[in-house]
Amino acid sequence: MNRLWVRLTLAFVVVTLMAVVAIAWLADSSANNEFRQYLARQDVLTQSGLLDDLGAFYQQKGNWIGVGEIISNFDAPLGRGRGQGGGRNRPPILLADAQGNVVYDERNLRLGTTLGSAERDLAQLVKLNGNVVGYLVLGQAGRSSLSAVEQSFLDQLRVTLTIAGGIAILLGVVLGLLISRTIAAPLSSVAQAARKFASHDWSQRVKVQGADEIADVAREFNEMADELERAEIQRRNLMADIAHELRTPLTVLQGNLSAMLDGIYPLERAEIATLYDETRLLKRLVDDLRELALADAGQLQLNPQTVDIAKTLRDAVTNFSIAADTEQVHLDIQTPEVLMGVADPERLAQVIRNLMANALRHTPPNGSIHLSAQVEDKLIRVSVSDTGEGIAPEDLARVFERFYRSDKSRARASGGTGLGLAITKAWVETMGGQIQVSSELGRGSCFSFTVPRWV
Ligand code: ADP
């Protein structure tokens, strides 16, 4: 009962049947009305005394010659029928003798003809001492025989409507089945795919077919499936990466500690310092992961305020100057004196620090790092560019991904977790900006991000 095809079929059948029943009812009620009017007229006629007058006339004369005078003077309120009786308030009257021969017709159409048996059945009888001496027909000449035609027409109509009703039911079933198939089939294929998808069959997609709305559902399902599959792959990769990243320092720690316990390594300060470095790396990794988890949950806590971005950049240059000198990398900065933006000062400093640390890590001695900031409509664009090793085009799109390192062994050796740029991106976006990178292998890279301008 709840199935689509059953509902559609029922709807079609009900609608067509209702139409058929309505037509039958209208046809019937109009026929009934006419018949009721006819009977009412006969009643009035009976009560009007015309039949008695005619009976008296016949008794007096013994025939119907001259009866016209009585009839034409007769004017009872019988309603205006078809073919009215000489402008009177009644339909025309026709009189036949005992044999059914028409002896008087107000419209002079049937004089000399004989009434049919159907006409006689419907006629009013003029009686004298219990014998029929005449038939009085009210209405259009031949009206009663027309009623018979109408009656048979009505009967015919009823039969036709019954057949039409049957055909309607059949058609309803066929149409309902056809239409519901075109609607239900694609929908149930979406439902089936969704069920399989729910049981982790990520490859499920559906064919886009059917009416626009249904094709839309299929299209949206496929897009959702793509998105979920991508998310699932990312989740798996992330889990594998986390496990891998945690495993390396833990293995080093475990191996070294066990060697110390076994007396293979001496319990010296330098050895312990190496192990301590590994724990620091682990701590950093866990902190970074926590920060990314918060970013995913949309729970990075911001403390936005108006910040002089030019000053933040100058401070960063000051903080990095010793490290840059050690690496023999030249640092320079180009910004207006004051540049007010809206950001969380600590997070902004962290973003700049990450980008500068990366630039320093990937720029060889005698290279340079250039910081700049300028207004761009309602934003401030901050750029950190270097003359370092650059990033290969195939890596460029992936540098913001978690755990992505173009040179894995070297990056880890230098303390990189592969999460720095992912965290940087999360903070920039949380502050309402965007981050981009452009780079040329062997010539250098330029990371730039935006911050809302304070207006
Ligand atoms: P990591 O902690 O390893 O530095 P990041 O997320 O900060 O991780 O960076 C991801 C990768 O992007 C790095 O491993 C490095 O290969 C590349 N990268 C980042 N910044 C630069 C840069 N300025 N020049 C060249 N490569 C860079």
Side-chain angles (χ1 to χ4, degrees):
M1 188 59 197
N2 223 355
R3 299 198 74 87
L4 192 60
W5 78 267
V6 179
R7 286 175 170 228
L8 273 175
T9 305
L10 276 180
F12 278 123
V13 169
V14 168
V15 169
T16 14
L17 274 185
M18 269 163 66
V20 170
V21 168
I23 293 169
W25 181 77
L26 281 174
D28 238 36
S29 75
S30 85
N32 273 342
N33 263 351
E34 288 231 358
F35 192 64
R36 236 177 277 123
Q37 273 178 18
Y38 176 79
L39 290 180
R41 268 188 238 143
Q42 301 288 338
D43 271 0
V44 175
L45 189 64
T46 317
Q47 285 159 18
S48 68
L50 178 64
L51 291 171
D52 295 341
D53 290 352
L54 287 173
F57 177 89
Y58 193 83
Q59 187 176 29
Q60 201 181 7
K61 291 226 164 176
N63 58 42
W64 289 115
I65 297 166
V67 76
E69 205 165 323
I70 295 181
I71 295 175
S72 57
N73 284 335
F74 176 68
D75 187 11
L78 296 174
R80 301 180 89 84
R82 278 176 255 167
Q84 281 144 32
R88 290 191 175 78
N89 195 18
R90 63 170 172 78
I93 289 176
L94 183 146
L95 185 73
D97 61 15
Q99 285 73 43
N101 298 318
V102 178
V103 292
Y104 178 80
D105 178 5
E106 265 183 328
R107 303 198 329 153
N108 281 330
L109 291 171
R110 300 275 309 267
L111 258 183
T113 61
T114 313
L115 291 185
S117 63
E119 285 176 303
R120 275 191 228 184
D121 288 346
L122 286 166
Q124 292 287 318
L125 303 177
V126 185
K127 287 183 178 171
L128 189 61
N129 304 325
N131 298 321
V132 176
V133 291
Y135 295 94
L136 191 132
V137 179
L138 186 64
Q140 199 179 349
R143 168 79 190 131
S144 50
S145 64
L146 226 164
S147 286
V149 171
E150 275 180 0
Q151 190 55 49
S152 88
F153 169 74
L154 274 178
D155 290 345
Q156 189 61 43
L157 189 67
R158 257 180 225 133
V159 174
T160 317
L161 285 175
T162 312
I163 296 170
I167 295 175
I169 292 175
L170 245 164
L171 267 176
V173 172
V174 173
L175 264 178
L177 271 174
L178 272 180
I179 295 184
S180 61
R181 286 221 157 264
T182 56
I183 297 174
L187 277 183
S188 57
S189 77
V190 173
Q192 203 180 357
R195 240 173 280 129
K196 287 191 181 166
F197 206 84
S199 56
H200 297 183
D201 179 356
W202 310 110
S203 64
Q204 284 299 314
R205 297 293 183 276
V206 287
K207 208 167 128 195
V208 178
Q209 59 180 1
D212 283 355
E213 291 85 348
I214 294 168
D216 272 353
V217 172
R219 214 171 289 121
E220 295 296 330
F221 174 85
N222 287 345
E223 270 174 33
M224 182 201 71
D226 286 346
E227 203 53 49
L228 285 176
E229 191 181 12
R230 214 173 298 138
E232 174 60 17
I233 291 171
Q234 260 180 17
R235 190 187 67 82
R236 279 188 211 162
N237 290 348
L238 189 65
M239 288 300 284
D241 285 341
I242 292 173
H244 181 77
E245 293 301 321
L246 289 175
R247 205 168 150 261
T248 313
L250 278 175
T251 312
V252 174
L253 272 174
Q254 199 183 15
N256 287 14
L257 283 172
S258 133
M260 280 179 190
L261 283 174
D262 294 346
I264 300 170
Y265 280 0
L267 251 178
E268 276 176 10
R269 206 183 170 84
E271 286 301 325
I272 296 173
T274 320
L275 298 187
Y276 176 69
D277 279 350
E278 288 298 331
T279 62
R280 275 182 47 210
L281 186 63
L282 266 177
K283 168 88 166 57
R284 213 186 114 200
L285 184 66
V286 173
D287 286 347
D288 284 355
L289 281 172
R290 186 173 169 274
E291 217 160 296
L292 279 173
L294 287 177
D296 280 347
Q299 284 178 355
L300 285 181
Q301 296 294 322
L302 269 192
N303 177 22
Q305 34 189 280
T306 51
V307 187
D308 183 356
I309 292 176
K311 183 172 178 303
T312 313
L313 284 178
R314 281 194 294 269
D315 288 349
V317 170
T318 312
N319 291 340
F320 270 85
S321 56
I322 296 175
D325 278 352
T326 316
E327 302 281 330
Q328 294 171 26
V329 170
H330 174 69
L331 274 184
D332 69 77
I333 178 167
Q334 185 184 15
T335 107
E337 191 50 35
V338 177
L339 208 48
M340 297 309 283
V342 180
D344 181 321
E346 265 182 48
R347 298 310 169 189
L348 179 68
Q350 182 187 345
V351 165
I352 295 169
R353 203 163 50 234
N354 281 0
L355 294 180
M356 285 187 75
N358 275 352
L360 203 57
R361 201 178 298 151
H362 297 282
T363 304
N366 298 324
S368 62
I369 298 173
H370 178 73
L371 270 81
S372 68
Q374 79 246 8
V375 172
E376 234 176 50
D377 197 17
K378 288 185 174 161
L379 300 167
I380 293 171
R381 181 169 293 281
V382 179
S383 307
V384 178
S385 51
D386 59 61
T387 57
E389 63 204 41
I391 304 166
E394 64 270 21
D395 293 328
L396 209 53
R398 305 190 57 192
V399 288
F400 295 108
E401 284 177 18
R402 290 153 198 205
F403 292 116
Y404 191 79
R405 288 184 284 223
S406 40
D407 182 349
K408 297 206 185 272
S409 51
R410 242 187 62 191
R412 184 180 287 132
S414 60
T417 58
L419 293 174
L421 283 178
I423 292 174
T424 304
K425 184 171 189 263
W427 279 120
V428 168
E429 288 176 356
T430 310
M431 288 191 287
Q434 284 187 326
I435 187 162
Q436 280 144 0
V437 58
S438 61
S439 184
E440 210 180 311
L441 209 55
R443 301 200 60 154
S445 314
C446 175
F447 284 85
S448 76
F449 66 92
T450 53
V451 198
R453 190 155 71 96
W454 190 72
V455 278

mmCIF file of all heavy atoms in Angstrom, residues 39-55 70-71 73-79 89-91 93 124-126 136 138:
data_model
loop_
_atom_site.group_PDB
_atom_site.id
_atom_site.type_symbol
_atom_site.label_atom_id
_atom_site.label_comp_id
_atom_site.label_asym_id
_atom_site.label_seq_id
_atom_site.Cartn_x
_atom_site.Cartn_y
_atom_site.Cartn_z
ATOM 1 N N LEU A 39 -43.814 14.960 -14.507
ATOM 2 C CA LEU A 39 -44.816 14.415 -13.582
ATOM 3 C C LEU A 39 -45.584 15.530 -12.887
ATOM 4 O O LEU A 39 -46.810 15.460 -12.718
ATOM 5 C CB LEU A 39 -44.142 13.522 -12.530
ATOM 6 C CG LEU A 39 -43.594 12.198 -13.061
ATOM 7 C CD1 LEU A 39 -42.956 11.410 -11.941
ATOM 8 C CD2 LEU A 39 -44.698 11.374 -13.716
ATOM 9 N N ALA A 40 -44.878 16.581 -12.523
ATOM 10 C CA ALA A 40 -45.528 17.701 -11.839
ATOM 11 C C ALA A 40 -46.583 18.318 -12.727
ATOM 12 O O ALA A 40 -47.691 18.648 -12.304
ATOM 13 C CB ALA A 40 -44.477 18.740 -11.469
ATOM 14 N N ARG A 41 -46.199 18.431 -14.020
ATOM 15 C CA ARG A 41 -47.153 19.000 -14.974
ATOM 16 C C ARG A 41 -48.403 18.153 -15.073
ATOM 17 O O ARG A 41 -49.521 18.639 -15.115
ATOM 18 C CB ARG A 41 -46.485 19.095 -16.345
ATOM 19 C CG ARG A 41 -45.832 20.425 -16.577
ATOM 20 C CD ARG A 41 -45.380 20.501 -18.000
ATOM 21 N NE ARG A 41 -43.945 20.738 -18.061
ATOM 22 C CZ ARG A 41 -43.142 20.205 -18.951
ATOM 23 N NH1 ARG A 41 -43.617 19.375 -19.836
ATOM 24 N NH2 ARG A 41 -41.894 20.500 -18.958
ATOM 25 N N GLN A 42 -48.187 16.826 -15.094
ATOM 26 C CA GLN A 42 -49.332 15.919 -15.196
ATOM 27 C C GLN A 42 -50.256 16.096 -13.993
ATOM 28 O O GLN A 42 -51.476 16.093 -14.128
ATOM 29 C CB GLN A 42 -48.843 14.465 -15.231
ATOM 30 C CG GLN A 42 -47.911 14.144 -16.369
ATOM 31 C CD GLN A 42 -48.611 14.084 -17.708
ATOM 32 O OE1 GLN A 42 -49.816 13.881 -17.769
ATOM 33 N NE2 GLN A 42 -47.892 14.300 -18.776
ATOM 34 N N ASP A 43 -49.636 16.273 -12.815
ATOM 35 C CA ASP A 43 -50.424 16.468 -11.590
ATOM 36 C C ASP A 43 -51.309 17.695 -11.695
ATOM 37 O O ASP A 43 -52.516 17.646 -11.425
ATOM 38 C CB ASP A 43 -49.480 16.660 -10.391
ATOM 39 C CG ASP A 43 -49.143 15.322 -9.782
ATOM 40 O OD1 ASP A 43 -49.647 14.306 -10.313
ATOM 41 O OD2 ASP A 43 -48.375 15.304 -8.789
ATOM 42 N N VAL A 44 -50.625 18.789 -12.101
ATOM 43 C CA VAL A 44 -51.374 20.054 -12.210
ATOM 44 C C VAL A 44 -52.522 19.892 -13.206
ATOM 45 O O VAL A 44 -53.645 20.340 -12.989
ATOM 46 C CB VAL A 44 -50.441 21.208 -12.633
ATOM 47 C CG1 VAL A 44 -51.232 22.486 -12.857
ATOM 48 C CG2 VAL A 44 -49.377 21.413 -11.577
ATOM 49 N N LEU A 45 -52.197 19.164 -14.277
ATOM 50 C CA LEU A 45 -53.190 18.946 -15.334
ATOM 51 C C LEU A 45 -54.411 18.204 -14.773
ATOM 52 O O LEU A 45 -55.560 18.575 -15.011
ATOM 53 C CB LEU A 45 -52.542 18.132 -16.455
ATOM 54 C CG LEU A 45 -53.355 17.973 -17.732
ATOM 55 C CD1 LEU A 45 -53.564 19.334 -18.379
ATOM 56 C CD2 LEU A 45 -52.661 17.034 -18.701
ATOM 57 N N THR A 46 -54.107 17.167 -13.968
ATOM 58 C CA THR A 46 -55.187 16.367 -13.397
ATOM 59 C C THR A 46 -56.062 17.223 -12.478
ATOM 60 O O THR A 46 -57.294 17.152 -12.517
ATOM 61 C CB THR A 46 -54.613 15.198 -12.578
ATOM 62 O OG1 THR A 46 -53.539 14.639 -13.298
ATOM 63 C CG2 THR A 46 -55.655 14.139 -12.314
ATOM 64 N N GLN A 47 -55.358 18.060 -11.708
ATOM 65 C CA GLN A 47 -56.115 18.861 -10.739
ATOM 66 C C GLN A 47 -56.849 20.036 -11.380
ATOM 67 O O GLN A 47 -57.720 20.643 -10.778
ATOM 68 C CB GLN A 47 -55.170 19.400 -9.661
ATOM 69 C CG GLN A 47 -54.748 18.329 -8.648
ATOM 70 C CD GLN A 47 -53.478 18.695 -7.933
ATOM 71 O OE1 GLN A 47 -53.100 19.861 -7.939
ATOM 72 N NE2 GLN A 47 -52.852 17.707 -7.349
ATOM 73 N N SER A 48 -56.427 20.362 -12.601
ATOM 74 C CA SER A 48 -57.008 21.564 -13.213
ATOM 75 C C SER A 48 -58.459 21.366 -13.670
ATOM 76 O O SER A 48 -59.158 22.316 -13.975
ATOM 77 C CB SER A 48 -56.166 21.978 -14.422
ATOM 78 O OG SER A 48 -56.333 20.987 -15.433
ATOM 79 N N GLY A 49 -58.917 20.111 -13.772
ATOM 80 C CA GLY A 49 -60.307 19.842 -14.180
ATOM 81 C C GLY A 49 -60.492 19.731 -15.676
ATOM 82 O O GLY A 49 -61.603 19.512 -16.163
ATOM 83 N N LEU A 50 -59.382 19.866 -16.437
ATOM 84 C CA LEU A 50 -59.498 19.797 -17.903
ATOM 85 C C LEU A 50 -60.012 18.433 -18.343
ATOM 86 O O LEU A 50 -60.863 18.338 -19.242
ATOM 87 C CB LEU A 50 -58.125 20.089 -18.542
ATOM 88 C CG LEU A 50 -58.076 20.001 -20.065
ATOM 89 C CD1 LEU A 50 -58.982 21.074 -20.706
ATOM 90 C CD2 LEU A 50 -56.670 20.150 -20.611
ATOM 91 N N LEU A 51 -59.491 17.373 -17.668
ATOM 92 C CA LEU A 51 -59.905 16.023 -18.060
ATOM 93 C C LEU A 51 -61.422 15.850 -17.857
ATOM 94 O O LEU A 51 -62.115 15.270 -18.703
ATOM 95 C CB LEU A 51 -59.142 14.978 -17.263
ATOM 96 C CG LEU A 51 -57.639 14.891 -17.597
ATOM 97 C CD1 LEU A 51 -56.921 13.990 -16.620
ATOM 98 C CD2 LEU A 51 -57.429 14.391 -19.028
ATOM 99 N N ASP A 52 -61.921 16.411 -16.729
ATOM 100 C CA ASP A 52 -63.370 16.333 -16.466
ATOM 101 C C ASP A 52 -64.162 17.094 -17.531
ATOM 102 O O ASP A 52 -65.166 16.605 -18.050
ATOM 103 C CB ASP A 52 -63.691 16.917 -15.083
ATOM 104 C CG ASP A 52 -63.049 16.066 -13.982
ATOM 105 O OD1 ASP A 52 -62.714 14.886 -14.283
ATOM 106 O OD2 ASP A 52 -62.844 16.580 -12.873
ATOM 107 N N ASP A 53 -63.606 18.306 -17.845
ATOM 108 C CA ASP A 53 -64.300 19.121 -18.861
ATOM 109 C C ASP A 53 -64.388 18.380 -20.178
ATOM 110 O O ASP A 53 -65.430 18.373 -20.866
ATOM 111 C CB ASP A 53 -63.571 20.436 -19.084
ATOM 112 C CG ASP A 53 -63.706 21.352 -17.868
ATOM 113 O OD1 ASP A 53 -64.490 20.989 -16.962
ATOM 114 O OD2 ASP A 53 -63.006 22.391 -17.824
ATOM 115 N N LEU A 54 -63.241 17.706 -20.525
ATOM 116 C CA LEU A 54 -63.206 16.978 -21.792
ATOM 117 C C LEU A 54 -64.183 15.803 -21.763
ATOM 118 O O LEU A 54 -64.909 15.535 -22.734
ATOM 119 C CB LEU A 54 -61.778 16.473 -22.077
ATOM 120 C CG LEU A 54 -60.772 17.558 -22.494
ATOM 121 C CD1 LEU A 54 -59.362 16.987 -22.590
ATOM 122 C CD2 LEU A 54 -61.157 18.171 -23.840
ATOM 123 N N GLY A 55 -64.229 15.137 -20.611
ATOM 124 C CA GLY A 55 -65.151 14.004 -20.442
ATOM 125 C C GLY A 55 -66.596 14.472 -20.630
ATOM 126 O O GLY A 55 -67.377 13.839 -21.362
ATOM 127 N N ILE A 70 -62.407 24.221 -25.994
ATOM 128 C CA ILE A 70 -62.135 23.968 -24.563
ATOM 129 C C ILE A 70 -60.632 24.033 -24.285
ATOM 130 O O ILE A 70 -60.177 24.678 -23.350
ATOM 131 C CB ILE A 70 -62.667 22.573 -24.152
ATOM 132 C CG1 ILE A 70 -64.173 22.536 -24.256
ATOM 133 C CG2 ILE A 70 -62.217 22.240 -22.729
ATOM 134 C CD1 ILE A 70 -64.804 21.228 -23.844
ATOM 135 N N ILE A 71 -59.882 23.354 -25.195
ATOM 136 C CA ILE A 71 -58.418 23.278 -24.957
ATOM 137 C C ILE A 71 -57.776 24.641 -25.084
ATOM 138 O O ILE A 71 -56.960 25.041 -24.250
ATOM 139 C CB ILE A 71 -57.766 22.252 -25.901
ATOM 140 C CG1 ILE A 71 -58.307 20.852 -25.561
ATOM 141 C CG2 ILE A 71 -56.249 22.273 -25.774
ATOM 142 C CD1 ILE A 71 -57.839 19.752 -26.491
ATOM 143 N N ASN A 73 -58.959 27.469 -24.551
ATOM 144 C CA ASN A 73 -59.281 28.361 -23.435
ATOM 145 C C ASN A 73 -58.601 27.937 -22.138
ATOM 146 O O ASN A 73 -58.623 28.649 -21.148
ATOM 147 C CB ASN A 73 -60.803 28.383 -23.189
ATOM 148 C CG ASN A 73 -61.496 29.226 -24.249
ATOM 149 O OD1 ASN A 73 -60.865 30.108 -24.831
ATOM 150 N ND2 ASN A 73 -62.751 28.919 -24.532
ATOM 151 N N PHE A 74 -58.026 26.739 -22.198
ATOM 152 C CA PHE A 74 -57.407 26.206 -20.989
ATOM 153 C C PHE A 74 -56.037 26.861 -20.763
ATOM 154 O O PHE A 74 -55.194 26.889 -21.647
ATOM 155 C CB PHE A 74 -57.263 24.683 -21.151
ATOM 156 C CG PHE A 74 -56.540 24.040 -20.010
ATOM 157 C CD1 PHE A 74 -57.138 23.988 -18.739
ATOM 158 C CD2 PHE A 74 -55.280 23.493 -20.171
ATOM 159 C CE1 PHE A 74 -56.480 23.391 -17.693
ATOM 160 C CE2 PHE A 74 -54.629 22.896 -19.121
ATOM 161 C CZ PHE A 74 -55.234 22.841 -17.871
ATOM 162 N N ASP A 75 -55.841 27.385 -19.579
ATOM 163 C CA ASP A 75 -54.571 28.091 -19.309
ATOM 164 C C ASP A 75 -54.107 27.868 -17.873
ATOM 165 O O ASP A 75 -54.221 28.721 -17.024
ATOM 166 C CB ASP A 75 -54.752 29.600 -19.571
ATOM 167 C CG ASP A 75 -53.415 30.325 -19.461
ATOM 168 O OD1 ASP A 75 -52.366 29.647 -19.389
ATOM 169 O OD2 ASP A 75 -53.409 31.561 -19.456
ATOM 170 N N ALA A 76 -53.646 26.650 -17.630
ATOM 171 C CA ALA A 76 -53.176 26.345 -16.271
ATOM 172 C C ALA A 76 -51.656 26.573 -16.173
ATOM 173 O O ALA A 76 -50.948 26.464 -17.186
ATOM 174 C CB ALA A 76 -53.481 24.892 -15.950
ATOM 175 N N PRO A 77 -51.146 26.905 -14.989
ATOM 176 C CA PRO A 77 -49.690 27.147 -14.849
ATOM 177 C C PRO A 77 -48.883 25.845 -14.874
ATOM 178 O O PRO A 77 -48.587 25.254 -13.858
ATOM 179 C CB PRO A 77 -49.584 27.816 -13.471
ATOM 180 C CG PRO A 77 -50.761 27.307 -12.716
ATOM 181 C CD PRO A 77 -51.847 27.014 -13.701
ATOM 182 N N LEU A 78 -48.591 25.405 -16.094
ATOM 183 C CA LEU A 78 -47.897 24.112 -16.230
ATOM 184 C C LEU A 78 -46.414 24.267 -16.542
ATOM 185 O O LEU A 78 -45.729 23.302 -16.880
ATOM 186 C CB LEU A 78 -48.549 23.299 -17.352
ATOM 187 C CG LEU A 78 -49.998 22.897 -17.104
ATOM 188 C CD1 LEU A 78 -50.562 22.223 -18.338
ATOM 189 C CD2 LEU A 78 -50.099 21.976 -15.920
ATOM 190 N N GLY A 79 -45.968 25.509 -16.457
ATOM 191 C CA GLY A 79 -44.543 25.724 -16.818
ATOM 192 C C GLY A 79 -44.431 25.814 -18.311
ATOM 193 O O GLY A 79 -45.321 25.372 -19.051
ATOM 194 N N ASN A 89 -49.295 29.963 -20.727
ATOM 195 C CA ASN A 89 -48.391 29.586 -19.657
ATOM 196 C C ASN A 89 -48.296 28.065 -19.523
ATOM 197 O O ASN A 89 -48.339 27.520 -18.431
ATOM 198 C CB ASN A 89 -48.932 30.204 -18.361
ATOM 199 C CG ASN A 89 -47.874 30.166 -17.272
ATOM 200 O OD1 ASN A 89 -46.688 30.010 -17.564
ATOM 201 N ND2 ASN A 89 -48.300 30.274 -16.037
ATOM 202 N N ARG A 90 -48.238 27.413 -20.647
ATOM 203 C CA ARG A 90 -48.172 25.942 -20.610
ATOM 204 C C ARG A 90 -47.671 25.418 -21.944
ATOM 205 O O ARG A 90 -47.715 26.138 -22.953
ATOM 206 C CB ARG A 90 -49.564 25.370 -20.321
ATOM 207 C CG ARG A 90 -50.571 25.715 -21.414
ATOM 208 C CD ARG A 90 -51.850 24.949 -21.237
ATOM 209 N NE ARG A 90 -52.864 25.411 -22.157
ATOM 210 C CZ ARG A 90 -52.915 25.098 -23.442
ATOM 211 N NH1 ARG A 90 -51.999 24.343 -23.994
ATOM 212 N NH2 ARG A 90 -53.878 25.565 -24.213
ATOM 213 N N PRO A 91 -47.220 24.166 -21.965
ATOM 214 C CA PRO A 91 -46.800 23.569 -23.240
ATOM 215 C C PRO A 91 -48.022 23.248 -24.101
ATOM 216 O O PRO A 91 -49.140 23.207 -23.577
ATOM 217 C CB PRO A 91 -46.103 22.278 -22.816
ATOM 218 C CG PRO A 91 -46.016 22.301 -21.334
ATOM 219 C CD PRO A 91 -47.038 23.243 -20.837
ATOM 220 N N ILE A 93 -50.915 21.244 -26.209
ATOM 221 C CA ILE A 93 -51.682 20.036 -25.859
ATOM 222 C C ILE A 93 -52.118 19.330 -27.130
ATOM 223 O O ILE A 93 -52.403 19.948 -28.161
ATOM 224 C CB ILE A 93 -52.911 20.416 -25.011
ATOM 225 C CG1 ILE A 93 -52.430 20.853 -23.609
ATOM 226 C CG2 ILE A 93 -53.898 19.263 -24.874
ATOM 227 C CD1 ILE A 93 -53.533 21.354 -22.711
ATOM 228 N N GLN A 124 -52.414 11.295 -20.499
ATOM 229 C CA GLN A 124 -53.489 11.328 -19.486
ATOM 230 C C GLN A 124 -54.749 10.792 -20.162
ATOM 231 O O GLN A 124 -55.040 11.111 -21.318
ATOM 232 C CB GLN A 124 -53.748 12.776 -19.047
ATOM 233 C CG GLN A 124 -52.593 13.385 -18.273
ATOM 234 C CD GLN A 124 -52.486 12.810 -16.879
ATOM 235 O OE1 GLN A 124 -53.506 12.619 -16.204
ATOM 236 N NE2 GLN A 124 -51.272 12.500 -16.453
ATOM 237 N N LEU A 125 -55.431 9.952 -19.405
ATOM 238 C CA LEU A 125 -56.611 9.324 -20.019
ATOM 239 C C LEU A 125 -57.860 10.159 -19.773
ATOM 240 O O LEU A 125 -58.099 10.632 -18.660
ATOM 241 C CB LEU A 125 -56.808 7.925 -19.427
ATOM 242 C CG LEU A 125 -55.606 6.991 -19.584
ATOM 243 C CD1 LEU A 125 -55.890 5.651 -18.902
ATOM 244 C CD2 LEU A 125 -55.269 6.779 -21.062
ATOM 245 N N VAL A 126 -58.652 10.383 -20.844
ATOM 246 C CA VAL A 126 -59.970 11.038 -20.679
ATOM 247 C C VAL A 126 -60.971 9.903 -20.590
ATOM 248 O O VAL A 126 -61.074 9.096 -21.512
ATOM 249 C CB VAL A 126 -60.297 11.951 -21.877
ATOM 250 C CG1 VAL A 126 -61.599 12.697 -21.627
ATOM 251 C CG2 VAL A 126 -59.145 12.919 -22.132
ATOM 252 N N LEU A 136 -54.855 12.448 -23.691
ATOM 253 C CA LEU A 136 -54.377 13.837 -23.701
ATOM 254 C C LEU A 136 -52.863 13.856 -23.479
ATOM 255 O O LEU A 136 -52.365 13.276 -22.515
ATOM 256 C CB LEU A 136 -55.072 14.601 -22.581
ATOM 257 C CG LEU A 136 -54.866 16.108 -22.657
ATOM 258 C CD1 LEU A 136 -56.204 16.820 -22.485
ATOM 259 C CD2 LEU A 136 -53.924 16.565 -21.578
ATOM 260 N N LEU A 138 -49.522 16.067 -23.056
ATOM 261 C CA LEU A 138 -49.055 17.416 -22.732
ATOM 262 C C LEU A 138 -47.603 17.542 -23.212
ATOM 263 O O LEU A 138 -46.794 16.647 -23.035
ATOM 264 C CB LEU A 138 -49.090 17.601 -21.217
ATOM 265 C CG LEU A 138 -48.778 18.978 -20.684
ATOM 266 C CD1 LEU A 138 -49.827 19.992 -21.134
ATOM 267 C CD2 LEU A 138 -48.685 18.944 -19.165
#
